[in-house]
Amino acid sequence: MTTISNPIIRGFNPDPSILRVGDDFYIATSTFEWFPGVQIHHSRDLIHWRLVGRPLARAAQLDMRGEPDSCGVWAPDLSYADGRFWLIFTDVKRYGATTVNGARGVSLRDFPNYVVTCDTIDGEWSDPVHLNSSGFDPALFHDDDGRSWMLNMLWDHRPGQGRFAGIQLQELDRARMVLIGQPELIYKGTERGFTEGPHLYKKDGYYHLLVAEGGTGWDHAVVMARSRTLCGPYEDHPDGAVLTGAGQRDIPIARTGHGDLVELADGTTWLAYLCGRPLPGRERCIMGRETAIQPMRWDDDGWLRTLTGDARPDPCPVAPSLPWAPWPIEPWDGSFNSPTLPDDFQWLRTPFPDRLFSLTARPGCLRLYGRETVGSLFEQALVARRQTDFRFTATTCLSFAPRCFQQAAGLIYYYNSTKFYYLHISADDGVRQLQLMSASPEWEEGTTLDIIAPLPPGPIALRTEVDGDQLTFAWRAEEEEAWHILPRTYDASILSDEVTYPGLPNFTGTFVGMACQDMSGAATPADFASFIYEEVGLNTPVD
């Protein structure tokens, strides 16, 4: 008996939208401030997944410069109609103050929603068409009468109102790519609140509305309602949540919610949903929100439930009866010998990567051009990959000749601009030295800078090792064999959704990669000859 090991897409990959076209399954996930926008993974057996594209890759499609941490691309929805793939998404421009239902005062946020299309999943997607800005988490429902409808949660900024006002529905004219008619509020949600992430399905004479509720934390849940008519009224699921990890923080798959359904060719129904894997005893999910999947059942009363009926996430569900379909493994040796960036890597916000890095300026190296600070929301040269394992090492080797304290380059372990560890080369009074800049909302200082050691001339190798919540660093000159290990062990768990300044959004996950700054404006480059990420041991939490 073959089982699926959840999560199926590891590392920061939240808000899954799942789609089947023939024998192919696709999942689109949020990328927030990381560019290019949206990750689409492909599978034929629900077990083996590979990245097949990031469709929002041009300046005409997405420009997130200036957008706050954890804004940008939220909750993409993937569908198929008229022989084309449709992708609808929010580009959050302003987050404003954190609020809860019934919060006082005005809460202004900007949620433009766009749609793009493509004939093939891995082709060049169209320029975006703006549809509305009334709320986030848009989705498209293509009814069997040929009409299409857009759903999104409705944001209510007015004083004294519940910000999450319910689910709005409006018809989309696919031919003209415009919304027509008037929007209707079809569902206000349950007492859990924070009603968002809508998806609509039609089965056995009912319209079934799937939403996320409870906030995207420990009380997150998948909730359903149904109606005989498209615009309602919708009756709530008699069990409450269809899937949730609420009430438990010590389970391997926690914080479950924001799901989407897919029907297999054999008629069985599966639910893809986001989850978090907490470190034992820490209640912190370093890798942020990931994507899991499990089978569901439709009972005689016409309601959807988990196979066990307990609405609990399943870490190891039995795999479906589909042909085994692993993808060819194409290992990367860590060198930069290609003119294109390896698929694992992304950068922050800007659609103009040529100002950040080059793979041809110095053949065999990734050249980063020193730009703004590591806390910049506009243009910083930071290229990184997701942390996907509880235990890993990451090693890089760089050549960098800073002339002053405003220039730095090195290895970064990064969640956002308020929490990171940055082991880097800089200079002070003409002396090249190794420094560690660290940031955490838990520290009174906020961001600290430690001088580690003077450095000899020539290339320097930098290494980080992560074992659960334990983080260590090391360095060595290129000609040395032994590593100089920094004596202190650092807390990796600060790089999680659960550690934050009050009022700031934290919806992403931890990355490890390379960075370069030059606050003097000279764009002094750093050349990285390699970057190697290696999983260590089993991919399970550390007790």
Side-chain angles (χ1 to χ4, degrees), residues 387-435:
Q387 178 182 343
T388 53
D389 307 282
F390 286 101
R391 302 177 180 91
F392 76 90
T393 64
T395 308
T396 190
C397 185
L398 72 155
S399 298
F400 183 57
R403 296 182 300 276
C404 69
F405 69 93
Q406 290 184 307
Q407 298 164 343
L411 176 68
I412 192 161
Y413 189 41
Y414 179 93
Y415 183 99
N416 65 17
S417 64
T418 69
K419 43 195 175 184
F420 58 81
Y421 293 98
Y422 183 27
L423 184 67
H424 61 272
I425 301 169
S426 188
D428 196 0
D429 292 331
V431 178
R432 196 171 75 144
Q433 59 186 212
L434 187 66
Q435 303 177 355

Side-chain angles (χ1 to χ4, degrees), residues 311-323:
R312 290 300 183 184
D314 188 348
C316 296
V318 176
S321 299
L322 293 171

Side-chain angles (χ1 to χ4, degrees), residues 77 79 86-91 111-117 127-135 137-142 148-152 168 170-181 183:
D77 172 78
S79 61
W86 297 68
L87 184 72
I88 187 170
F89 64 95
T90 308
D91 178 11
F111 302 121
N113 292 312
Y114 301 93
V115 63
V116 294
T117 64
D127 285 348
V129 175
H130 176 252
L131 296 177
N132 70 17
S133 300
S134 59
D137 290 2
L140 291 180
F141 168 64
H142 306 291
S148 290
W149 303 82
M150 175 183 172
L151 303 98
N152 61 268
Q168 177 179 279
Q170 190 172 2
E171 187 171 1
L172 173 69
D173 184 327
R174 295 202 304 264
R176 294 189 295 145
M177 297 287 273
V178 295
L179 295 174
I180 58 177

Side-chain angles (χ1 to χ4, degrees), residues 35-82:
F35 200 98
V38 179
Q39 295 218 121
I40 298 179
H41 284 81
H42 178 205
S43 177
R44 291 198 173 102
D45 59 8
L46 299 187
I47 300 171
H48 303 94
W49 295 85
R50 67 171 178 177
L51 183 68
V52 72
R54 295 189 181 109
L56 307 179
R58 304 190 306 276
Q61 296 172 313
L62 185 66
D63 186 346
M64 299 179 289
R65 288 175 295 178
E67 296 181 8
D69 291 333
S70 284
C71 290
V73 177
W74 286 16
D77 172 78
L78 188 63
S79 61
Y80 190 78
D82 298 335

Side-chain angles (χ1 to χ4, degrees), residues 347-379:
W347 60 95
L348 290 166
R349 293 183 176 87
T350 178
F352 302 110
D354 289 349
R355 285 187 50 82
L356 304 184
F357 62 85
S358 171
L359 287 147
T360 58
R362 182 176 176 180
C365 290
L366 171 65
R367 170 165 288 184
L368 297 187
Y369 298 103
R371 296 299 179 190
E372 296 169 354
T373 72
V374 73
S376 172
L377 303 181
F378 291 86
E379 189 179 57

